Every structure is written in structure tokens, then in C-alpha cells.
Amino acid sequence: MKQTEVLLQPNPNARIEEFVYEKLDRKAPSRMNNPELLGQYMIDAGNEFGPGTAYGNALIKCGETQKRIGAADRELIQTSAINFLTPLRNFIEGDYKTITKERKLLQNKRLDLDAAKTRLKKAKVAEALSSQLNTSQPEENNIMIWAEEVTKSEQEVRITQSEFDRQAEITRLLLEGISSTHAHHLRCLNDFVEAQMTYYAQCYQYMLDLQKQLGSFPSTFLSNNNQSSTTPVQSVSTPPVLASASASLPSVSNSIVASGLSELRSSSGSRKARVLYDYDAANSSELSLLADEVITVYSIPGMDSDWLMGERGNQKGKVPITYLELLN
């Protein structure tokens, strides 16, 4: 429960503040979360650079997306708190405390019962020893005393046994309810997972839309100080990693890729290919790519099937085939 709270609200000061307001039965003041703050700063900076400039416009679009992610984050926290954390906290602070208390009480009743049985056993042993001795007036008095002690101990055992049995029944009934509690917690856990799934799907869709918007910008444009920029501005993009969402991205079918590669390898020729996503070279043997540019690709014998050699002017290096669309 505590670690879920940390996941939903990483800021310890904010968690303490929410706890204090909750104990005071007051609503905590609404504050912007980190994505919303970043989004607002980006929008402000974009307006300063000017919405008419490519960089200013891109900042504004990024800021709007960050604010949408912040809103989705709020929804995740609220939904998880209602459907998962609150039922769990209610159980821990309510039923679980009751069960723990009753089990401890049962343990004490068992100890009382064991002690009463021990005293009864000692009284019976002492009574038996006294009856085996020679009978005289003092000894008869001792026998009567031990007989009374046995009677008293037997009564104590009956009382403690009755209390133990009653407490055992109470504890048993409480523990039998654990199975239904587990079923309820399982439903709450499913709700939590569904809330996370919705959140991550929303964030992915927001970033996908943003990537498409940034991809529509020209690869080169005038800088804000009206000097020509000699370096193409790379759009902030990340190649897709979610298999379930890959269908929504521009992609090349396996058959087309396979046939194109087989042609390249059999003919030892070259083909033009359009770059689908930005790619930063991991080392000097690879070639960095910009989305939508067209490069020349060819295959080298013995090369990994997931890579091709790419050329752009005097630059060349390995490029991943999943980032390319072979052109006719």
C-alpha cells in the first residue's frame, strides 16, 4: 500500500501534506503536477520565441501534450485511490486490525487455559500423595484442602475452556471471511491494472500525435535570429517499442521488406529508401538518420539480416531496416 502511494505520488512532501489534510478532513489545495508544470513552461517559452517560428510552434505543441499527460496522470491517481488504495487501506486499518486483536486475545485465552490445566494437574497429584500417607487428623485436613483445590481448579478449567472455545469461534468466523476479502482485493487489483493500462495508452497516443505533428515540420528552417541554420533540426521522436501499437505507425509489411531485401542481396545492387523515424548512430560504424529523408541502401554479404548499408552523400554506415521504407 505504501509503495503504491509512492508510485502515484513520488514527492514525499506532497504525500505528507495530503495525509495532514486528510486527517483534518479538509481538501488539499489543487496544484499543478510535474508534466503540467513542464507543459506550461514550454508553452510560455514557445510564446516568447513566437508561435510563428518553427521552434516556438514546436514548443507550444510539446507543452500542450505535456499538459494532457499531466491531466491523465491526475486521472490515474484519482482512479487508483478510489478503486485500489482506499479499499486496501480500509481493510488494513479496519478488518485486519480486528482480526489481529481477536487472534491475540485467542492466544491469551489459550495460555490461561494451559495454566488452569497445569494447576489442576498439580492439585490432583498433591491430593493423591496426601491420600497415600498414614491417616491422622492433620493428614485428613490436608486431604480435604487438596480436594477443595482440585474442585476449584476443575471449575477454573471449565470457565477458561468455555472462554477459549468462544474466542476460537469468533476468530474462526473472522478468518473465514478472508477468502471473500481476497476476492474483493483481486477485483481492486484488476481495476488498478486497468487504470494503469488506460493511462499508458493515453500517454502513448498523445506522444504519437505529437510525433506526427513534429514530423510535419520542414527538416530545415530559418533560426530565430534569421540566420540560416546549417544543421537539420531533428524532430523529437522515438521508434515504437509496443508491439500492440505498431499497427498505428507507418510501417512496411513483412512481405515487401523480405522481397526488397532478397532483391538487394541477389542483385548486389542498391535501392533508394525513405527513412521512417529519426535514428541516432550508436557508434562510428552506423549512420544517423532523419525522418522522411531519402538515402541509398545496399546489402553486404555476411551482414546481419536486420541491417543494411546506407549512404548519404559522402557519409555511409549501417542502418536498421525497420527504420526504412524501400522505394520502387
Side-chain angles (χ1 to χ4, degrees):
M1 183 185 74
K2 293 297 182 185
Q3 197 57 42
T4 305
E5 292 173 347
V6 172
L7 173 70
L8 297 176
Q9 178 51 267
N11 188 336
N13 294 328
R15 291 200 304 274
I16 293 174
E17 183 182 55
E18 291 171 1
F19 174 78
V20 171
Y21 276 101
E22 183 181 350
K23 291 301 180 183
L24 295 175
D25 199 19
R26 293 173 57 186
K27 186 178 180 181
S30 178
R31 291 189 176 89
M32 297 178 73
N33 54 33
N34 290 333
E36 289 173 328
L37 284 172
L38 174 60
Q40 189 59 55
Y41 289 142
M42 283 184 165
I43 292 174
D44 293 343
N47 288 326
E48 284 189 30
F49 281 110
T53 64
Y55 183 49
N57 191 13
L59 277 172
I60 292 174
K61 289 184 182 299
C62 288
E64 290 172 348
T65 299
Q66 292 296 331
K67 294 187 81 169
R68 293 172 74 188
I69 290 176
D73 186 59
R74 285 183 181 277
E75 181 67 23
L76 170 65
I77 292 175
Q78 183 179 5
T79 303
S80 301
I82 295 174
N83 296 337
F84 181 64
L85 274 177
T86 299
L88 192 59
R89 185 182 292 109
N90 289 342
F91 171 74
I92 291 174
E93 296 179 355
D95 293 348
Y96 179 72
K97 282 188 175 180
T98 302
I99 291 172
T100 304
K101 177 183 175 183
E102 296 299 334
R103 285 186 64 181
K104 186 176 181 181
L105 192 58
L106 176 64
Q107 209 171 26
N108 292 335
K109 296 295 183 183
R110 183 186 63 80
L111 293 174
D112 292 342
L113 178 59
D114 290 345
K117 288 180 177 179
T118 301
R119 284 193 291 270
L120 175 60
K121 184 178 179 181
K122 288 181 177 179
K124 285 184 176 181
V125 170
E127 182 187 27
L129 290 175
S130 297
S131 63
Q132 291 175 3
L133 297 176
N134 296 327
T135 57
S136 62
Q137 188 66 31
E139 293 298 337
E140 289 180 2
N141 292 337
N142 286 336
I143 293 174
M144 292 179 61
I145 292 173
W146 285 116
E148 291 177 0
E149 187 66 27
V150 168
T151 303
K152 182 180 177 182
S153 297
E154 288 175 344
Q155 184 179 6
E156 183 182 8
V157 167
R158 284 194 297 271
I159 294 173
T160 52
Q161 182 70 57
S162 174
E163 292 178 350
F164 173 80
D165 293 341
R166 183 171 62 252
Q167 186 61 37
E169 181 64 16
I170 293 173
T171 308
R172 184 184 65 81
L173 293 174
L174 287 172
L175 291 176
E176 283 181 350
I178 290 292
S179 58
S180 61
T181 301
H182 284 177
H184 177 61
H185 288 334
L186 179 58
R187 290 193 297 271
C188 295
L189 184 61
N190 284 331
D191 291 340
F192 176 56
V193 171
E194 186 175 345
Q196 282 187 303
M197 183 185 68
T198 301
Y199 168 71
Y200 290 123
Q202 285 178 325
C203 291
Y204 176 76
Q205 189 60 48
Y206 294 157
M207 297 309 296
L208 186 63
D209 294 342
L210 176 62
Q211 182 189 49
K212 291 179 179 177
Q213 291 176 21
L214 295 183
S216 66
F217 286 7
S219 58
T220 59
F221 52 82
L222 293 180
S223 63
N224 293 306
N225 59 5
N226 295 326
Q227 296 176 353
S228 294
S229 174
T230 58
T231 306
V233 174
Q234 299 182 6
S235 62
V236 182
S237 62
T238 305
V241 294
L242 299 178
S244 61
S246 61
S248 61
L249 293 173
S251 60
V252 185
S253 68
N254 291 335
S255 60
I256 295 176
V257 173
S259 62
L261 288 175
S262 62
E263 271 186 40
L264 281 177
R265 293 193 177 102
S266 62
S267 65
S268 298
S270 62
R271 288 275 293 274
K272 293 292 185 181
R274 185 174 69 87
V275 177
L276 298 175
Y277 323 109
D278 291 354
Y279 176 74
D280 293 328
N283 52 54
S284 58
S285 68
E286 298 179 7
L287 180 66
S288 294
L289 303 174
L290 293 175
D292 294 327
E293 70 171 327
V294 177
I295 64 173
T296 301
V297 294
Y298 56 91
S299 176
I300 295 178
M303 179 177 257
D304 190 324
S305 60
D306 293 330
W307 295 79
L308 289 173
M309 288 298 296
E311 284 190 2
R312 183 203 303 113
N314 295 328
Q315 298 177 327
K316 67 178 181 177
K318 295 192 303 180
V319 293
I321 61 172
T322 53
Y323 285 65
L324 304 174
E325 178 183 12
L326 295 178
L327 302 177
N328 294 328

